[in-house]
Amino acid sequence: MAVTPTQFARTTRTSANWSDAKRRVLAAYREWIRAAPEIQTMYSVPFPVATIRTRMRQEFERHRFVNKLPVVDVLLMQNNAEYQETMNFWKQTTHVMSYFKTENFRASKLPSDFMSGFLEGRN
């Protein structure tokens, strides 16, 4: 699959009013939700698609109560850049996995202290 850098590029623009900003935010949210299965396969994310979509929603919900239109525009610009970098495979798996700190899949495997790790044969 050839990477076309401009395939996911968006022009930088400002929202005319709140309804325009809402429309742009919902369009960005839908893009991310639709891309979740592809992101899972591209980056070999060891979580189900539902978990990835939940994490995407949490990121959007984090900025839900922003009440300044220029701030929403900046967040949309950052969103477009993040989406382009993710879909063009310009990130590494560790960058994508950094969004899943709460779903840390390695924490249960780590020993609680040195002696238990030593007895398990860990280096």
Side-chain angles (χ1 to χ4, degrees):
M1 176 175 129
V3 174
T4 309
T6 58
Q7 180 179 3
F8 299 105
R10 300 282 181 265
T11 55
T12 303
R13 58 178 285 253
T14 58
S15 301
N17 52 29
W18 279 106
S19 62
D20 183 33
K22 182 178 178 180
R23 183 187 53 77
R24 292 174 59 207
V25 168
L26 289 175
Y29 176 73
R30 287 183 187 117
E31 280 182 339
W32 279 104
I33 294 299
R34 289 179 184 139
E38 189 174 350
I39 291 170
Q40 182 192 32
T41 56
M42 282 172 48
Y43 292 98
S44 302
V45 177
F47 300 119
V49 176
T51 304
I52 298 169
R53 286 182 173 150
T54 301
R55 187 64 187 112
M56 290 175 180
R57 181 171 179 111
Q58 288 172 352
E59 281 295 311
F60 275 86
E61 289 286 336
R62 196 173 74 162
H63 302 292
R64 181 180 190 142
F65 298 107
V66 173
N67 56 5
K68 295 182 181 177
L69 199 55
V71 176
V72 172
D73 289 336
V74 169
L75 289 171
L76 281 167
M77 290 177 222
Q78 291 174 347
N79 168 68
N80 293 339
E82 192 79 18
Y83 183 75
Q84 182 182 13
E85 291 169 5
T86 304
M87 297 309 292
N88 281 332
F89 209 66
W90 293 343
K91 292 183 171 196
Q92 295 179 3
T93 305
T94 55
H95 298 141
V96 175
M97 292 305 294
S98 67
Y99 287 102
F100 298 97
K101 291 178 183 172
T102 57
E103 293 90 0
N104 190 351
F105 56 96
R106 292 190 186 118
S108 61
K109 298 177 186 175
L110 293 176
S112 59
D113 60 346
F114 171 77
M115 197 56 159
S116 63
F118 178 77
L119 293 174
E120 287 177 13
R122 291 183 168 268
N123 294 336

mmCIF file of all heavy atoms in Angstrom, residues 16 23 44 62 99 103 109:
data_model
loop_
_atom_site.group_PDB
_atom_site.id
_atom_site.type_symbol
_atom_site.label_atom_id
_atom_site.label_comp_id
_atom_site.label_asym_id
_atom_site.label_seq_id
_atom_site.Cartn_x
_atom_site.Cartn_y
_atom_site.Cartn_z
ATOM 1 N N ALA A 16 -17.159 29.219 11.114
ATOM 2 C CA ALA A 16 -17.935 30.449 10.987
ATOM 3 C C ALA A 16 -18.793 30.699 12.219
ATOM 4 O O ALA A 16 -18.962 31.842 12.644
ATOM 5 C CB ALA A 16 -18.810 30.383 9.740
ATOM 6 N N ARG A 23 -20.538 20.622 13.393
ATOM 7 C CA ARG A 23 -20.543 19.751 12.217
ATOM 8 C C ARG A 23 -19.149 19.202 11.938
ATOM 9 O O ARG A 23 -18.971 18.010 11.662
ATOM 10 C CB ARG A 23 -21.056 20.531 11.003
ATOM 11 C CG ARG A 23 -21.168 19.706 9.735
ATOM 12 C CD ARG A 23 -21.524 20.565 8.535
ATOM 13 N NE ARG A 23 -20.630 21.704 8.356
ATOM 14 C CZ ARG A 23 -19.395 21.624 7.838
ATOM 15 N NH1 ARG A 23 -18.905 20.474 7.481
ATOM 16 N NH2 ARG A 23 -18.663 22.712 7.692
ATOM 17 N N SER A 44 -1.236 -3.279 14.932
ATOM 18 C CA SER A 44 -1.302 -4.524 15.720
ATOM 19 C C SER A 44 -1.672 -4.248 17.175
ATOM 20 O O SER A 44 -1.016 -4.723 18.104
ATOM 21 C CB SER A 44 0.031 -5.270 15.643
ATOM 22 O OG SER A 44 0.354 -5.556 14.311
ATOM 23 N N ARG A 62 -13.172 14.442 26.445
ATOM 24 C CA ARG A 62 -12.277 15.229 27.301
ATOM 25 C C ARG A 62 -12.383 16.725 26.990
ATOM 26 O O ARG A 62 -12.218 17.562 27.867
ATOM 27 C CB ARG A 62 -10.845 14.746 27.080
ATOM 28 C CG ARG A 62 -9.887 15.189 28.127
ATOM 29 C CD ARG A 62 -8.567 14.535 27.908
ATOM 30 N NE ARG A 62 -7.920 15.162 26.754
ATOM 31 C CZ ARG A 62 -6.635 15.081 26.490
ATOM 32 N NH1 ARG A 62 -5.849 14.368 27.239
ATOM 33 N NH2 ARG A 62 -6.122 15.689 25.449
ATOM 34 N N TYR A 99 -1.936 5.833 24.174
ATOM 35 C CA TYR A 99 -3.302 6.249 24.492
ATOM 36 C C TYR A 99 -4.007 5.252 25.407
ATOM 37 O O TYR A 99 -5.062 5.536 25.946
ATOM 38 C CB TYR A 99 -4.122 6.420 23.209
ATOM 39 C CG TYR A 99 -3.749 7.650 22.430
ATOM 40 C CD1 TYR A 99 -2.950 7.563 21.295
ATOM 41 C CD2 TYR A 99 -4.169 8.907 22.839
ATOM 42 C CE1 TYR A 99 -2.599 8.690 20.589
ATOM 43 C CE2 TYR A 99 -3.823 10.038 22.137
ATOM 44 C CZ TYR A 99 -3.031 9.916 21.015
ATOM 45 O OH TYR A 99 -2.681 11.040 20.319
ATOM 46 N N GLU A 103 -5.499 0.661 30.088
ATOM 47 C CA GLU A 103 -5.651 -0.739 29.681
ATOM 48 C C GLU A 103 -4.275 -1.381 29.538
ATOM 49 O O GLU A 103 -4.000 -2.068 28.577
ATOM 50 C CB GLU A 103 -6.398 -0.851 28.346
ATOM 51 C CG GLU A 103 -7.841 -0.425 28.393
ATOM 52 C CD GLU A 103 -8.013 1.055 28.088
ATOM 53 O OE1 GLU A 103 -7.013 1.728 27.841
ATOM 54 O OE2 GLU A 103 -9.139 1.519 28.115
ATOM 55 N N LYS A 109 1.533 -8.864 34.401
ATOM 56 C CA LYS A 109 2.612 -9.827 34.253
ATOM 57 C C LYS A 109 3.848 -9.459 35.061
ATOM 58 O O LYS A 109 4.704 -10.297 35.284
ATOM 59 C CB LYS A 109 2.995 -9.954 32.782
ATOM 60 C CG LYS A 109 1.871 -10.454 31.911
ATOM 61 C CD LYS A 109 2.292 -10.481 30.460
ATOM 62 C CE LYS A 109 1.126 -10.839 29.558
ATOM 63 N NZ LYS A 109 1.497 -10.756 28.157
#
